[in-house]
Amino acid sequence: MSPAYKTPDQRDRWHKRTCARCERHGWFAARWPDGHVCRTCHDKALRVRGRCPDCGDERVLPGLRPNDGALTCSDCAGFMMSYRCSRCGHEGKLHGGRLCTRCTLADRLDDLLDDGTGRIRPALLPLAESLLNADNPVSILNGLYTRKGRIGAPDDLLRRLGRGEIQLTHEAFHTLQPWRAAAHLRELLMSCGVLPAVDKQICLFESWLVGHLATIAEPEHAQIIRRFTTWSVLPKLRAGADRHPLTPGSQRYATGLVKHTTAFLNWLSDQELTLTTCRQADIDRWHVEHNEHNRNTVRPFLLWCQSTGLTRHFRLPPPQAGRAAPFAQNERLSLLGQLLTDASLPLRSRVAAVIVLLYAQPCSRVVRLTIDDVVRDNDEILLRLGEPATPVPAQFAELLLTWIDNRDNMNTATNRDSRWLFSGRRAGQPLNPNSLSSLLNDLGIPTTAGRTAAIRQQVVEMPAPVVADALGYHNKTTARLRNETGGTWSRCAAGDHARSPAGWVPRGTGDS
């Protein structure tokens, strides 16, 4: 074992003497021809594959040739041990029983998904096949040992799934804990076809709703909220999911509706009132005591109560929407120039930030873009945001194509064939808009103010209907922005703007 270090410098000096390849901490007691190596260097060397310059065979190249430092196979390097799997013969890192990572993972899944007959539960065979075919099986194997043996750990959830203790229904996953691990497992099951596909945000909302209803002390309140979500909130979410994938903002909005509805019902109880006994004066008093956000959020519930006859008809104030102030055009152009030229910034953040600042796209839309939305038309690159596709400047086109060839999160289970432009870590899911927004904020890019400045500049330079079609905005939005900047619809180019350009094929509703 390595000695106890009093300072980081002592650690580095000790490790430099013991590891023949690097200066990272940790020590692996294996004798290589060039001395001891740390576990990190040992595992990293066994991931390098190619043609050995000495024997000419295609193999793992963990050795270093003394004279020129060329990578060589273990035989040519004079290693005393073999790295071939005792079962399949694959050469690489070995685990217990001298088995490779994939064979070890196969044995582990056979044990966890056993239905009691010594075989994997038939319904879970697609899940096992999907995990075994992952490009990076070692990450999955390591995940199965996370919190091993504890209730709610990945291995515990898989074992209960194999034995049938967890039913293969979405309702069964609503109460599973911890919810993050259960959500990840449910997404894996949906991606491989074991569970029917349901929008991720609806799954998260339904799981949250079960826990929220359990915390409501008043049975009558719980019943009202259950009716409200069943007949108003969930139908709207499902209708939105039928048109396009929901964003986390949709789920947060639905959650906020239920939370503020619960608070409103509690306020009525504190005033010794019910939905049937409250009057217009009580509603007016509640509006006076609460802020604009609370009033806007409870408004859908009050409208639903009136339509269903739970309350009498009330006069409700119209909703008020706040707007973020855009920053100056020269500041926007300066940020665009920095993003296009500064190679020290993360590539993913640069590409996403340019799409926000150049095409006025919110992060919720940016993460839904796929590589199919990047259209190559001869020597021109187009980005499909609306109808028709929008031209991409040459400098950004080069950056965009480079990112497509070097996307992150492509080794996650079931993500190796992902078409998302910004793939997430979850199976088949894009990057979370909140995560992308945080990455851009770290670069000093205010996403809301940035896209507001971009769309205002667009409607100044081009007719509002053209901007609406090209960037995927509603024509009323661009018309309002144009009017606010001093222009009118009369500035539009002549012609039939309802007719698509010749040769244009609109994107289907199922595309992203």
Side-chain angles (χ1 to χ4, degrees):
M1 295 180 62
S2 59
Y5 309 115
K6 294 183 179 179
T7 65
D9 291 339
Q10 291 179 353
R11 179 197 66 194
D12 294 340
R13 288 197 299 269
W14 179 87
H15 191 76
K16 193 172 183 179
R17 292 196 303 269
T18 56
C19 180
R21 291 199 166 203
C22 79
E23 298 181 5
R24 297 187 63 174
H25 63 83
W27 183 54
F28 184 72
R31 175 66 66 179
W32 284 25
D34 50 1
H36 291 291
V37 294
C38 69
R39 184 181 296 275
T40 300
C41 286
H42 174 267
D43 294 346
K44 184 178 180 180
L46 292 175
R47 291 197 296 266
V48 179
R49 296 181 180 273
R51 186 176 298 277
C52 177
D54 290 343
C55 64
D57 294 339
E58 286 283 343
R59 298 182 57 186
V60 172
L61 305 177
L64 290 175
R65 198 158 56 186
N67 54 350
D68 58 359
L71 300 178
T72 62
C73 66
S74 57
D75 293 338
C76 295
F79 283 25
M80 295 179 292
M81 62 181 299
S82 171
Y83 290 97
R84 292 194 178 277
C85 176
S86 60
R87 179 183 299 171
C88 67
H90 177 76
E91 192 175 23
K93 179 181 178 180
L94 299 180
H95 303 267
R98 299 191 59 76
L99 297 178
C100 67
T101 301
R102 208 171 292 276
C103 289
T104 304
L105 177 60
D107 289 350
R108 183 72 173 143
L109 292 175
D110 288 343
D111 175 59
L112 294 177
L113 300 179
D114 182 11
D115 60 358
T117 64
R119 297 176 300 175
I120 294 178
R121 183 180 176 184
L124 299 178
L125 287 174
L127 174 63
E129 181 180 358
S130 175
L131 296 176
L132 283 175
N133 291 333
D135 293 336
N136 189 20
V138 68
S139 64
I140 300 175
L141 185 62
N142 292 337
L144 294 179
Y145 284 95
T146 303
R147 302 174 61 245
K148 180 182 178 182
R150 299 184 182 181
I151 298 177
D155 65 325
D156 174 63
L157 292 177
L158 288 179
R159 197 181 300 278
R160 292 162 59 191
L161 202 62
R163 294 175 179 173
E165 298 174 7
I166 301 176
Q167 299 297 320
L168 292 177
T169 62
H170 285 286
E171 290 74 15
F173 282 83
H174 290 342
T175 56
L176 286 182
Q177 295 295 333
W179 71 267
R180 291 184 185 275
H184 182 52
L185 178 57
R186 173 155 58 173
E187 289 162 9
L188 283 173
L189 293 171
M190 287 191 293
S191 66
C192 60
V194 177
L195 283 178
V198 177
D199 192 282
K200 171 185 175 181
Q201 304 306 326
I202 295 180
C203 292
L204 292 177
F205 174 73
E206 290 179 333
S207 297
W208 173 85
L209 180 62
V210 171
H212 178 74
L213 291 175
T215 63
I216 300 177
E218 293 288 339
E220 183 179 355
H221 291 181
Q223 181 185 18
I224 293 173
I225 293 174
R226 186 178 289 107
R227 289 175 57 188
F228 174 56
T229 54
T230 301
W231 298 107
S232 179
V233 180
L234 279 172
K236 292 179 180 178
L237 285 178
R238 295 189 179 106
D242 290 339
R243 295 190 298 269
H244 52 73
L246 298 179
T247 65
S250 302
Q251 186 261 338
R252 288 196 303 271
Y253 176 73
T255 300
L257 285 180
V258 177
K259 286 182 177 179
H260 285 82
T261 297
T262 305
F264 174 74
L265 293 176
N266 291 335
W267 181 86
L268 289 179
S269 296
D270 294 340
Q271 308 300 316
E272 298 183 352
L273 296 170
T274 64
L275 289 174
T276 56
T277 60
C278 68
R279 302 291 188 268
Q280 180 68 50
D282 301 318
I283 297 297
D284 294 339
R285 182 156 51 92
W286 182 88
H287 278 77
V288 170
E289 295 177 0
H290 293 80
N291 59 30
E292 191 67 37
H293 176 69
N294 289 338
R295 293 195 289 267
N296 289 342
T297 309
V298 173
R299 178 184 173 86
F301 173 70
L302 293 176
L303 293 175
W304 175 79
C305 288
Q306 295 178 54
S307 65
T308 56
L310 292 177
T311 63
R312 61 185 65 199
H313 286 276
F314 300 120
R315 297 186 306 275
L316 302 177
Q320 301 293 328
R323 302 174 186 172
F327 50 68
Q329 171 69 357
N330 59 348
E331 184 179 355
R332 170 175 164 263
L333 294 178
S334 176
L335 288 174
L336 280 171
Q338 179 185 3
L339 292 168
L340 293 173
T341 57
D342 191 350
S344 64
L345 300 177
L347 182 58
R348 173 175 58 182
S349 300
R350 292 171 65 192
V351 172
V354 171
I355 295 176
V356 171
L357 294 178
L358 191 60
Y359 300 110
Q361 298 297 300
C363 289
S364 58
R365 289 189 197 170
V366 174
V367 298
R368 308 305 306 190
L369 293 173
T370 70
I371 59 176
D372 300 318
D373 291 322
V374 181
V375 183
R376 292 173 172 85
D377 185 11
N378 297 325
D379 295 334
E380 188 178 15
I381 302 299
L382 307 173
L383 186 60
R384 189 170 60 181
L385 302 170
E387 187 179 320
T390 304
V392 177
Q395 193 169 5
F396 178 50
E398 181 180 355
L399 197 69
L400 183 60
L401 295 178
T402 302
W403 165 247
I404 291 177
D405 295 335
N406 299 275
R407 288 177 293 161
D408 294 339
N409 297 330
M410 296 301 295
N411 290 329
T412 306
T414 71
N415 260 12
R416 56 189 177 277
D417 299 323
S418 173
R419 308 297 292 177
W420 297 116
L421 186 60
F422 300 96
S423 297
R425 294 183 179 181
R426 295 284 182 87
Q429 296 291 335
L431 187 67
N432 190 291
N434 296 332
S435 300
L436 181 61
S437 180
S438 298
L439 293 174
L440 301 191
N441 289 332
D442 292 341
L443 295 184
I445 308 295
T447 55
T448 303
R451 67 182 179 88
T452 303
I455 189 63
R456 287 178 177 271
Q457 187 63 29
Q458 295 283 1
V459 297
V460 168
E461 297 176 351
M462 292 184 293
V466 175
V467 175
D469 291 341
L471 300 185
Y473 277 78
H474 197 282
N475 53 18
K476 292 184 178 179
T477 301
T478 55
R480 174 178 54 79
L481 292 173
R482 182 59 189 164
N483 292 333
E484 290 176 358
T485 57
T488 64
W489 280 85
S490 61
R491 187 175 176 271
C492 300
D496 183 6
H497 297 290
R499 178 174 54 86
S500 299
W504 168 254
V505 179
R507 182 171 59 177
T509 58
D511 296 341
S512 299

